[in-house]
Structures are given as structure tokens and as C-alpha cells.
Amino acid sequence: MNVPPELLAKIDEAITHYPVSKRSASLPLLHLWQEHFGFISDEAIAWIAQKLELQPINILELVTFYPMFRRHLAGQRHIRVCRTLSCAMAGSYGLRDKLAAAAGIDLQKWQEENAHHANAEHGNPIAVSADGQYSIEFVECLASCGSAPVAMVDDFFKENIKPGDAPKLLKLQRSDATLPKVRPPHRREKRIVFKNIDREGWTNDIECYLGEGGYEQLKKALQMKPEEIVEEVKKSGLRGRGGAGFPCGVKWSFIKRGGPKPTYLICNADESEPGTFKDRYILHQDPHQLLEGMIISCFAVDAHLAYIYIRGEFPEGAQILEKALAEARARNFLGKNILGSGFDLEIYVHRGGGAYICGEETGLIESLEGKRAYPRIKPPYFPAVLGLYQCPTIVNNVETLCDVKHILAMGGGAEYAKLGRPNNTGTRILCVSGDVKKPGYYEVEVGSVTLGELINDFCVGLREGRKLKAVIPGGSSAKVLKAGEKYKIKDKEVALEDIPMDFDTLAAAGSMAGSGGVIIMDDSRDMVQTLNNINEFYAHESCGQCTPCREGALWMKKITHRILEGGGTEKDPDVLKNVADNIAGKTICAFGEACAWPTQSFVLKFRDEFTARSKKETPPPMPPEYISEELIEHEKIETLHDKRTGSPLASAATK
Ligand SMILES: Cc1cc2nc3c(=O)[nH]c(=O)nc-3n(C[C@H](O)[C@H](O)[C@H](O)COP(=O)(O)O)c2cc1C
Ligand code: SF4
Ligand code: FES
């Protein structure tokens, strides 16, 4: 096969980023190939396999797992529209249709004609215009939920899209994502990590960063003993901002120094939890803050090779990071003998392929090793013990790693711990989306703001004339909380609006702070539709390793879909709960809980709605963004009908 020299040069360069195992270069090579040729052909699979000294199946299994890789050409301009909850609530189903119409794609006809082909296709179905100029794909959360609805046109992000924007969107030549929008902080915000985000005059160049004291904390850190830094991070009480809230310093102290194996550090920049949109801002607008935090962290845990695992849908973010890394190398903040300290470090950017499960740290590690992102069983695969290439590995979220720099800047862990509340220290970025007047990000001291204050003060309240119905407080995996309910916290009855947004209180209220993604729903929202949207996400994203998760996530989606279609049965709410109960706690990774908790909590808290809907024989009117015929959905559930009366019998899901 004739591979053009410029592509070959990029491929050879990419392979050098993986000195331990060439196999790790599989995903980067697939991206390079697809960027050049538009799709992954059989020849590509054979060629890449040979180049990496693998079998073709090792590459084919990636192409069939990661939805971003295509086996056929898309249009010359490829448009990805987000279909997940916050975007669906803001009208992304209608937007997708308008974009298709503007691009000359008859979606319904395309679906009918391509039903078989699309089913056989891997990844998401892609509708292509007859002239091959445009293609449209419905994708999962693009980490911009606060500016919903959003779409990507080729590599460009477009946020807050209005229905009338469709024709001009097809010609988009610039991204919203890299443009700071000058957004002054709310008076009660405490901006530390987000100090420079959307700030007037701020750029992501190293000069700008250095002009504001950038890399000074690195210089300070290099004068300290690594163990001292770990101790300060421990003292700070910093809990991981990626979702689980595990204490960062404690995790770091699991690393055994001076062992026979090297230690690696990985920054988790996969940001895929629906409702969460903080890390992308840091990557796009303040990449040096992350790099400084990472370099200090690597020094502390004695890592000399580190990766930033960035989700595949952030191509601009990856480019910005590459530029920032080159700037940092040129000034010896990276590379050999950093600033004369004797400490060597190299950091590389690694792009994912569009699979949510790569955010789970052991799935991420498998993916970085060039395999399907199948999470590993813990124990024994706690990354700090057996991680990347079976070596001790620290995986931390983008925001967590940025915080490390600020712990030193404040003079140490004790100072940082003064922010927030006991066991819930520091600041964190709350990402608010859904039915509020001013959605967006707000960096606050942990627990300093109640949910009611967040909605009514920071976000300027609910939409006009609406009442609060429900809140998902920590990304779509968190259990839903219902307005009007009282929550028992430390022996006190607390209303939903009075719950402080910290790890421990939200856990006590039966949910979690998770990744900081707060999704607000007002009384116009139908909880069956909402749960169905969430269930579609999890059914799409299960890695398929464990039977309860693979089958259960799909069944939960089928059942909520059936209820929506008007074919639900009286037993459906119980069946839903039963399926969810048999997933949580019975799987390899916490995705099992992540997909079961929404169903368990929605059915428990909004049982009346589910019961009433399950008995309906015909679907009630739905808002346009939810009209089910408009879903890209090739798997139909058949409902048995009584031949004499025509009414639905017990359902029979046929596939
Ligand atoms: C299904 C699933 C998805 C996850 N997605 C992310 C993610 O996108 N970003 C992230 O930082 N952590 C994610 N996590 C959490 C990681 O597994 C891990 O706990 C985290 O990266 C550790 O960093 P931290 O301690 O700094 O939070 C996810 C976990 C699960 C179970
Ligand atoms: S719980 Fe789901 S996502 Fe996690 S390993 Fe099992 S099948 Fe994969
Ligand atoms: S960007 Fe669409 S739901 Fe998150």
C-alpha cells in the first residue's frame, strides 16, 4: 500500500511517543489514517497491524469498539450533533433535523434505505447527503452541556445553536471553544482553577501564562523533597474531581518509591460524563496550568513519563496541548534535567476514540495500551499498584492536577484546607445545565453554596413561570433528587434547595457530587422521557464485558422506550427497577452503578409518572425534541397487540 510520505512521517513520530509498547500507538495511527483518507479500509487495518507488529484483528477490534472510527467515507463536512440530556432538553433533536434538511439529507428516507446497512455498521449511524458533501451523526455528550445545544462541524465546536442557525452552521470556519467569552465571576465565586477562563485579554500562550507567575510553583516544587509535596497534598484534603472523590494525597502515597518498576502518571481528560463541562475549558484556555500541575505531580510521585488521555472529540484541545507541550519543552519545563534539577520528564497527548468507558481509569489504561477499553478487575488492578504496562500508575482528573499547583501557591496543604468544609476542602467547579436562566460553570468553595442558591442566585432562577421538579447533582450517573422531598442529613430534615453542594452531604442525601455536573429539570419535564434519554446513553456506552451491564443497560433502554411508545405494561416500573437492581454491585466496574442508579432513582421518586405512562395505549403528545420517530433508532421493539381489541398485551421485545 502506498502511504504518502507526509503521513508516514507523522506515523513514525507518533510511534516514538510510546517507548514501552508500540501497540499503544494503535489509536493515534487510526486517527492519523482517518484524517488523511477519511475512513479505515481493510488495507489500513492490515498496514497498521504490520507497522505495529500486531495481528490485523488487534486493529479491527479497535475500529469496531471506538465509535469515532469509520469503515466508510463520511461527507466532506462531517457534523456531529449532541443527543444527550441537556442538549435534548435544549432542542437538539429538532436541530439535527434542521441541519439534515439544510444539508439536503432526508433523514427518514435515509433511515429506511440504510436500516440494514446502518445496523451492520459499527459506531453511530452516519447519514450522508447524496452529493457526498455533508454527513450528520448523532453523538453522545460533547462536554458543553451548559451551552446546549451544541454540535461539531468537522473539528469546530459550536455552542448555543439556535434553530435558525442550521444553514450557516454548515459553513462554519471557526470554533466557539477557543474563544474566551469574557465572563466575569459571580460575586460568591472563588476562582482559583478557573481564574483565567473566559478572562479578558487572557490567551493560552506560554508568554501570557509566564506573565502571571506561571511555572513559579514548579520552580518551588523542584526545591522541595518529593515526599514533602505528597505530604502537603495529603494535608490539603484534596479529593479527586473526576467523580469518585478519592483523596489525592492518599492515592499518591500508595506509590512505592525506588521499586524495580517505573511509575507513570496519566491525566484523565476524557470528560464524558453527561452534564460535566469543566476540563475542556482548562484544556482549551489554560493548558499551561494543567501542565504545571502535572509536572509537579510527576516530580512528587517520581514519574518520568506521563500521558494526557484526552477524549477523541477534543481535536482542538489536543492541538492546543501539543503546542503548550512544545512551548514547555523549549523552556526546559519538560525534558531532560528540568531547570537544572536533575529531574527528567516527558508528557505526551493521547487521543481516545469516542467511548465513555475510557473515563474509567482502568478502561483508560487498557485503551492507552492500544486495546479495547475493557475495565480491569479491582483488585488486583488498582492502578497505583498494577496500572499502565503493569506498573504503578497514578490517574488523576484535569481539575485535580490543576489544584496541586494551587496547593503550593497558597503556601501548602494547611492553607488550602481552610477553603471549603472539613473533609470537603478547596474549591470545585460546578457545571450547571438544564432549565435555568443562566447555565454555566461556577467555581465555589466546596459546600459553600446550597442547591437553591446555585439555582436562584448564581443561575438567576428557573425559566419563567416554572417550578423546580428534579435535580441530578453530579453528572447523569448520580441519583436524581426530587423537589419537595425532605432529606435526612445529620439528623435534620433538609429540603432539596437547602442541600449544600459538597461530597458528604450529597452522599447523605442519597446521591453524589460526582463530577460536578448539575442538571436542573423544571415541571415541564417528563421523567420517562428524561430517563429514556439517559438510558440510551448507557446502553450505547456499555463496554459489553459483563452480562448484567451489557444486557441490562439495553433492556432498561428498551423498556423506557416501550413506555414512551405507548406499549408499556403495568409491570414495567417494577421490571425496570428489577433490571437495575441486578446490575448495581454485580459488575467489573462502576459503570454498573452509573447506569443502574438513574433508573433506580427515577422509578422510585417518580413512580406515579412511570405507572401512569405504562398503562397508556397511545403515546401522549411529546415536545418536538423528543418525538420518537425522529430518533436514530434502528432497533424497534415490537409490542404484542390483542388481535381482537388492538390493545397492547404483555410486551415482547424481539431483539
Ligand atoms: C464509567 C466511569 C466514567 C468515568 N469518567 C471519568 C472522566 O470522564 N473523567 C475523570 O476524570 N474521571 C472519570 N471517572 C473516574 C475515574 O475512574 C477515576 O476515578 C479518576 O480519573 C481519578 O481521578 P481523580 O482522583 O483526580 O478524580 C469515571 C469513572 C467511571 C466508573
Ligand atoms: S460494568 Fe459495564 S462498562 Fe464496566 S466492565 Fe462491565 S460491561 Fe464494561
Ligand atoms: S454537550 Fe450535549 S449533553 Fe453535554
Side-chain angles (χ1 to χ4, degrees):
M1 169 133 206
N2 200 8
V3 178
E6 68 275 20
L7 176 60
L8 200 53
K10 284 185 193 167
I11 284 175
D12 287 334
E13 154 69 17
I15 293 172
T16 65
H17 297 179
Y18 305 96
V20 180
S21 164
K22 273 210 274 190
R23 185 172 183 175
S24 287
S26 303
L27 253 64
L29 263 54
L30 284 166
H31 276 299
L32 286 170
W33 197 281
Q34 185 159 292
E35 273 154 28
H36 192 91
F37 291 106
F39 71 108
I40 307 296
S41 59
D42 289 345
E43 290 80 8
I45 289 167
W47 191 93
I48 293 172
Q50 197 180 23
K51 182 80 182 168
L52 298 177
E53 296 171 50
L54 299 168
Q55 296 300 322
I57 187 65
N58 300 134
I59 302 300
L60 180 64
E61 69 170 4
L62 304 182
V63 178
T64 55
F65 183 87
Y66 294 96
M68 285 186 78
F69 299 119
R70 299 188 287 265
R71 298 284 276 139
H72 302 281
L73 269 181
Q76 281 167 31
R77 296 219 86 181
H78 184 54
I79 300 150
R80 297 181 173 95
V81 182
C82 174
R83 74 109 253 117
T84 318
L85 186 58
S86 304
C87 283
M89 285 165 68
S92 69
Y93 278 73
L95 171 68
R96 192 250 339 237
D97 293 351
K98 287 213 161 57
L99 277 165
I105 300 170
D106 182 338
L107 269 185
Q108 204 171 342
K109 189 159 162 253
W110 182 86
Q111 273 171 24
E112 281 158 19
E113 286 173 0
N114 292 275
H116 174 68
H117 170 70
N119 265 344
E121 183 68 80
H122 309 292
N124 304 316
I126 295 174
V128 189
S129 62
D131 60 4
Q133 240 195 314
Y134 298 107
S135 48
I136 300 218
E137 180 182 2
F138 231 4
V139 295
E140 298 299 347
C141 179
L142 287 170
S144 294
C145 330
S147 43
V150 299
M152 283 177 77
V153 182
D154 294 335
D155 289 354
F156 304 129
F157 260 90
K158 184 73 189 162
E159 303 168 55
N160 289 315
I161 306 170
K162 309 275 173 304
D165 291 347
K168 63 177 186 236
L169 203 70
L170 298 180
K171 301 188 184 73
L172 191 74
Q173 289 302 341
R174 212 174 54 171
S175 185
D176 276 359
T178 41
L179 293 176
K181 283 164 216 56
V182 185
R183 196 171 180 279
H186 184 275
R187 66 191 153 75
R188 288 182 59 194
E189 271 189 77
K190 175 92 182 166
R191 294 250 187 120
I192 295 174
V193 175
F194 261 38
K195 183 173 156 234
N196 300 318
I197 304 299
D198 285 338
R199 190 180 135 193
E200 187 146 31
W202 180 258
T203 71
N204 57 27
D205 297 328
I206 197 164
E207 282 76 20
C208 190
Y209 189 68
L210 291 171
E212 300 253 338
Y215 288 104
E216 289 303 317
Q217 301 315 313
L218 172 62
K219 289 177 194 161
K220 195 198 276 181
L222 293 173
Q223 305 298 320
M224 295 168 74
K225 286 201 185 108
E227 296 84 345
E228 280 170 9
I229 303 175
V230 176
E231 208 41 50
E232 291 304 327
V233 174
K234 259 185 169 175
K235 265 194 237 160
S236 75
L238 172 66
R239 292 173 67 169
R241 304 304 197 226
F246 193 80
C248 180
V250 176
K251 191 196 283 191
W252 287 10
S253 61
F254 294 151
I255 295 287
K256 288 206 169 51
R257 286 166 196 285
K261 291 177 172 181
T263 297
Y264 301 111
L265 184 137
I266 306 173
C267 167
N268 189 343
D270 196 58
E271 189 159 65
S272 312
E273 175 74 21
T276 318
F277 50 91
K278 58 193 179 67
D279 299 341
R280 185 170 70 75
Y281 283 99
I282 298 169
L283 304 170
H284 279 140
Q285 294 188 31
D286 204 358
H288 285 288
Q289 180 188 194
L290 172 63
L291 294 190
E292 187 172 4
M294 275 186 81
I295 302 167
I296 297 170
S297 305
C298 286
F299 179 68
V301 300
D302 196 27
H304 299 275
L305 180 59
Y307 291 95
I308 303 174
Y309 189 107
I310 183 169
R311 65 180 290 192
E313 298 91 332
F314 290 173
E316 273 191 313
Q319 275 173 20
I320 291 165
L321 282 172
E322 296 284 9
K323 175 177 154 269
L325 284 168
E327 289 172 337
R329 264 180 220 122
R331 291 176 190 255
N332 194 219
F333 297 137
L334 274 176
K336 295 260 174 239
N337 189 19
I338 294 173
L339 304 177
S341 65
F343 176 61
D344 302 340
L345 172 67
E346 200 39 272
I347 301 180
Y348 295 111
V349 178
H350 183 95
R351 280 181 71 196
Y356 165 73
I357 197 57
C358 295
E360 195 282 334
E361 56 189 357
T362 59
L364 182 154
I365 288 170
E366 284 283 304
S367 179
L368 186 47
E369 289 184 0
K371 304 173 197 158
R372 287 183 165 195
Y374 286 149
R376 297 173 175 174
I377 294 170
K378 293 190 268 185
Y381 296 107
F382 291 114
V385 183
L386 287 174
L388 185 64
Y389 311 128
Q390 301 296 318
C391 294
T393 303
I394 291 295
V395 182
N396 273 132
N397 172 257
V398 171
E399 188 186 344
T400 315
L401 290 166
C402 289
D403 275 320
V404 170
K405 169 197 151 156
H406 298 292
I407 291 170
L408 296 195
M410 282 178 199
E415 285 305 306
Y416 183 89
K418 287 182 185 162
L419 298 175
R421 303 174 137 205
N423 203 35
N424 296 268
T425 58
T427 64
R428 84 169 303 187
I429 299 140
L430 298 175
C431 315
V432 190
S433 63
D435 297 328
V436 284
K437 287 196 187 119
K438 197 173 167 224
Y441 57 76
Y442 300 96
E443 184 173 1
V444 293
E445 286 189 48
V446 183
S448 67
V449 170
T450 63
L451 185 55
E453 290 166 338
L454 186 67
I455 295 172
N456 296 317
D457 187 4
F458 288 71
C459 300
V460 203
L462 299 166
R463 296 186 299 169
E464 225 46 73
R466 291 285 167 202
K467 287 200 195 110
L468 184 65
K469 182 165 185 179
V471 175
I472 300 173
S476 70
S477 310
K479 288 188 176 176
V480 69
L481 300 174
K482 185 178 176 183
E485 270 190 353
K486 296 274 184 202
Y487 294 88
K488 195 153 194 184
I489 292 155
K490 287 194 191 147
D491 297 331
K492 270 200 214 146
E493 299 265 297
V494 177
L496 177 62
E497 286 87 341
D498 297 331
I499 293 180
M501 301 296 284
D502 67 48
F503 291 98
D504 294 342
T505 314
L506 284 165
S511 188
M512 64 172 178
S515 53
V518 186
I519 308 172
I520 312 288
M521 285 158 283
D522 69 24
D523 58 352
S524 70
R525 298 297 167 186
D526 177 328
M527 292 295 111
V528 183
Q529 288 169 350
T530 305
L531 181 62
N532 184 59
N533 184 289
I534 295 173
N535 283 350
E536 289 198 12
F537 173 81
Y538 289 105
H540 186 263
E541 299 299 334
S542 167
C543 87
Q545 262 194 117
C546 327
T547 310
C549 171
R550 183 187 63 242
E551 300 298 318
L554 193 65
W555 271 101
M556 291 190 297
K557 168 186 118 166
K558 287 183 174 192
I559 295 168
T560 47
H561 196 245
R562 170 169 75 198
I563 299 173
L564 273 184
E565 292 271 293
T569 74
E570 273 178 20
K571 286 190 177 157
D572 275 354
D574 286 331
V575 178
L576 265 178
K577 183 181 172 300
N578 188 278
V579 175
D581 289 350
N582 280 293
I583 303 174
K586 298 181 172 67
T587 58
I588 291 173
C589 86
F591 182 106
E593 283 76 34
C595 76
W597 284 343
T599 291
Q600 286 175 329
S601 58
F602 271 81
V603 173
L604 178 75
K605 307 224 165 189
F606 299 97
R607 192 166 182 107
D608 292 354
E609 255 179 77
F610 281 82
T611 308
R613 270 309 259 288
S614 298
K615 286 180 194 154
K616 288 221 164 83
E617 293 179 7
T618 50
M622 286 183 247
E625 63 265 30
Y626 282 118
I627 291 178
S628 49
E629 297 92 76
E630 292 179 4
L631 299 173
I632 298 186
E633 171 60 88
H634 302 283
E635 249 180 326
K636 284 273 175 222
I637 304 164
E638 286 176 15
T639 303
L640 287 184
H641 285 264
D642 186 311
K643 285 204 180 97
R644 287 163 299 126
T645 63
S647 55
L649 289 170
S651 61
T654 54
K655 288 177 193 168

